[in-house]
Amino acid sequence: MRQSILFPKTARTAPKDEVSRNAQLLEQAGYISKLFAGVYSYLPLGFRVLRKIEKIIREEMDLAGGQELFMPALHPLENYQQTGRADIDVLFHLEMANGKKLVLGQSHEEVIVPLFKKYIQSYKDLPRHLYQIQTKFRNELRAKSGILRGREFMMKDLYSFHTTEEDLLKYYDRMRQAYERIFMRAGIGHLTHYTFASGGTFSEFSHEFQTITSAGEDTIHVCEKCGVAINDELITKYQACPECNGRTFAKHTAIEVGNIFPLKTKFSEKFDLSYTSESGTKQLVVMGCYGIGLGRLMGAVVEVRHDDKGIYWPRQLAPFQVHLVNLNQESGATADTVYNQLLDQHIEVLYDDRDESAGVKFGDADLIGIPIRLVISKKTAQQVELSHRGTRQGSLMSVSSAIKEIERHYV
Ligand code: ATP
Ligand code: MG
């Protein structure tokens, strides 16, 4: 992509009406644009990042036996009356022309449970694991944290259906591992802790994946021995770490990037979702649900991976792998050739071909945060300077060595 035509341009300063660092940086760099509090457009750069997050999540869910589907965002209110959730405060309500009451989907238990019930009869139809990546709507009271807390946001939600609690817990552990891989690949694995939490209104307990950042809204206590954490709301109940029995904890502010719930039969009961067991008796289906907010994850990555100049993306989430920066008109033809060579190798490259000063170009490159930088100037002639976001000195090398280096380490 040529930066001369990239939509939009970066802004000189951070937007005045944002208080969160993730929104300030992402808006200034041209990744997102606010429509109103908690509701954002993802611009071309931001949408590339979001699609990469989606790809990682999809790969890990498929690997863990998930089957992807896509459910509606318009839900009949009566399904929520059936589960006792019609009055929860995050629901956005609306009405059809004929008066039928609807809500916008804030989660999909009320849709997937009756859907699943249509198709299963026997223990032979279980287990199944279904997921989607879809927009959720929540009337959040406060939406001041940029894309960490949206009123409209993308979520991956997986629902698992089992014959027994034992089978659910086995799958629960598999999901835990899949989540750990997702956060590792997203570059925040080292700061993300598996956390014991309460189950809210519909489960006795749940587990969160909490990423340590000052932008977080939660407090967690991380076991110094094994790294598993306990949410502050539960800490008085625990004498020792439930994972390893460790007794010393470090207190941190953190943001919940993912959440897994053993729903057991809470929703199956409401919709009478049952199956016929091997011995011919009728049993309730045992369920789990597993969520990750895609925008929340992207915002958390920005919160933990920025400096005073801008963002530094992990390789797997960066909108482009290489930022090719040409500094002089005279080296334009060489830079065009390098750009085409990189494209030929299927390397994702943002090419700064603009007629701007070196200062402006480097400032924008630091703000946008692409991991590898290739600089071409009159001085370097047929050679390019390869450096990394955040480091000043690079090394001079031929174009072919630079491409080899990039392919070897980064693509
Ligand atoms: P929180 O306590 O932060 O409000 P939650 O418990 O309501 O989160 P879940 O209903 O379990 O969250 O949703 C699953 C995941 O969706 C969360 O772990 C988080 O990553 C994401 N998420 C939840 N609410 C939002 C939001 N308003 N904006 C963006 N992502 C969200
Ligand atoms: Mg919430």
Side-chain angles (χ1 to χ4, degrees):
M1 163 73 69
R2 284 177 181 266
Q3 208 168 335
S4 53
I5 57 162
L6 176 66
F7 177 82
K9 288 182 208 152
T10 57
R12 287 269 175 274
T13 53
K16 301 260 177 305
D17 60 340
E18 293 285 2
V19 288
S20 73
R21 206 63 193 113
N22 71 84
Q24 287 173 346
L25 285 164
L26 289 167
E27 282 192 57
Q28 189 184 348
Y31 284 86
I32 60 170
S33 175
K34 181 156 86 173
L35 182 60
F36 62 94
V39 179
Y40 291 86
S41 297
Y42 285 77
L43 305 176
L45 280 180
F47 195 50
R48 289 181 75 98
V49 176
L50 199 68
R51 284 197 338 240
K52 295 205 169 173
I53 294 174
E54 185 177 310
K55 180 168 179 284
I56 292 173
I57 293 176
R58 181 172 286 124
E59 283 172 6
E60 297 299 340
M61 290 302 106
D62 288 347
L63 207 61
Q67 298 181 47
E68 189 170 8
L69 46 57
F70 191 78
M71 290 179 279
L74 282 178
H75 301 178
L77 179 67
E78 62 206 46
N79 290 32
Y80 287 73
Q81 286 160 342
Q82 203 158 337
T83 58
R85 295 211 290 182
D87 296 326
I88 58 175
D89 52 10
V90 294
L91 277 183
F92 279 112
H93 293 264
L94 56 165
E95 201 174 293
M96 298 210 309
N98 68 6
K100 185 179 166 74
K101 302 229 178 332
L102 304 176
V103 297
L104 292 176
Q106 56 85 39
S107 186
H108 276 71
E109 287 82 2
E110 277 81 356
V111 175
I112 202 161
V113 178
L115 182 152
F116 197 71
K117 182 181 157 80
K118 256 166 71 176
Y119 299 99
I120 71 124
Q121 286 88 31
S122 120
Y123 69 96
K124 291 180 193 154
D125 301 326
L126 297 167
R128 292 289 183 274
H129 320 105
L130 301 170
Y131 76 97
Q132 64 171 352
I133 297 171
Q134 211 241 23
T135 304
K136 299 282 191 261
F137 300 88
R138 291 188 185 181
N139 200 350
E140 299 278 2
L141 262 180
R142 274 172 305 159
K144 287 187 183 161
S145 304
I147 57 172
L148 293 179
R149 186 171 295 286
R151 294 192 161 104
E152 170 177 338
F153 59 96
M154 294 277 281
M155 194 202 284
K156 182 285 299 174
D157 42 332
L158 186 145
Y159 305 86
S160 69
F161 303 87
H162 311 265
T163 50
T164 60
E165 271 189 29
E166 195 187 356
D167 195 51
L168 162 65
L169 291 179
K170 249 196 297 177
Y171 194 71
Y172 199 77
D173 207 51
R174 194 162 168 201
M175 270 291 120
R176 171 183 176 174
Q177 287 167 30
Y179 272 42
E180 278 164 0
R181 288 164 59 106
I182 289 167
F183 300 124
M184 195 70 78
R185 291 176 68 182
I188 54 171
H190 59 302
L191 291 170
T192 303
H193 297 269
Y194 187 65
T195 304
F196 286 76
S198 86
T201 50
F202 55 102
S203 167
E204 55 194 293
F205 69 93
S206 73
H207 292 90
E208 299 166 341
F209 290 80
Q210 292 273 2
T211 305
I212 293 176
T213 161
S214 56
E217 297 175 11
D218 290 342
T219 302
I220 59 166
H221 302 261
V222 180
C223 170
E224 290 183 342
K225 205 161 134 199
C226 73
V228 160
I230 302 167
N231 193 305
D232 196 52
E233 66 193 4
L234 287 189
I235 192 67
T236 50
K237 290 194 193 151
Y238 286 93
Q239 304 293 313
C241 171
E243 186 92 344
C244 75
N245 229 13
R247 288 187 180 259
T248 47
F249 296 90
K251 194 171 167 181
H252 293 281
T253 301
I255 180 83
E256 174 199 314
V257 287
N259 203 342
I260 62 181
F261 286 89
L263 293 173
K264 299 192 179 163
T265 56
K266 284 270 149 66
F267 285 90
S268 311
E269 277 161 28
K270 305 286 185 193
F271 290 100
D272 188 29
L273 171 63
S274 48
Y275 68 96
T276 310
S277 73
E278 227 171 328
S279 58
T281 58
K282 195 179 139 183
Q283 306 280 348
L284 284 173
V285 172
V286 179
M287 288 182 64
C289 76
Y290 317 81
I292 296 183
L294 279 71
R296 168 95 48 110
L297 176 54
M298 178 168 162
V301 170
V302 174
E303 290 291 345
V304 301
R305 298 184 60 114
H306 72 265
D307 56 21
D308 54 345
K309 299 191 183 71
I311 305 166
Y312 48 98
W313 291 108
R315 174 175 66 83
Q316 295 225 34
L317 298 198
F320 295 91
Q321 298 304 304
V322 176
H323 204 155
L324 176 64
V325 181
N326 177 40
L327 293 184
N328 307 101
Q329 294 264 299
E330 293 90 322
S331 48
T334 314
D336 282 355
T337 311
V338 175
Y339 177 55
N340 286 319
Q341 280 177 293
L342 290 165
L343 290 180
D344 277 349
Q345 299 302 313
H346 303 287
I347 293 170
E348 297 173 307
V349 52
L350 180 63
Y351 171 25
D352 194 346
D353 59 339
R354 298 173 303 166
D355 188 12
E356 293 283 359
S357 70
V360 166
K361 291 189 175 194
F362 288 140
D364 279 349
D366 283 341
L367 179 64
I368 292 170
I370 293 167
I372 305 167
R373 192 173 306 171
L374 281 184
V375 179
I376 300 187
S377 68
K378 219 169 25 186
K379 269 194 304 197
T380 57
Q382 290 308 303
Q383 296 202 299
V384 291
E385 188 181 290
L386 187 146
S387 62
H388 300 274
R389 166 67 178 83
T391 56
R392 274 272 157 253
Q393 320 92 313
S395 17
L396 273 181
M397 57 184 79
S398 68
V399 173
S400 62
S401 316
I403 291 178
K404 275 206 201 93
E405 179 89 2
I406 291 164
E407 284 183 327
R408 194 164 42 236
H409 296 292
Y410 306 100
V411 180

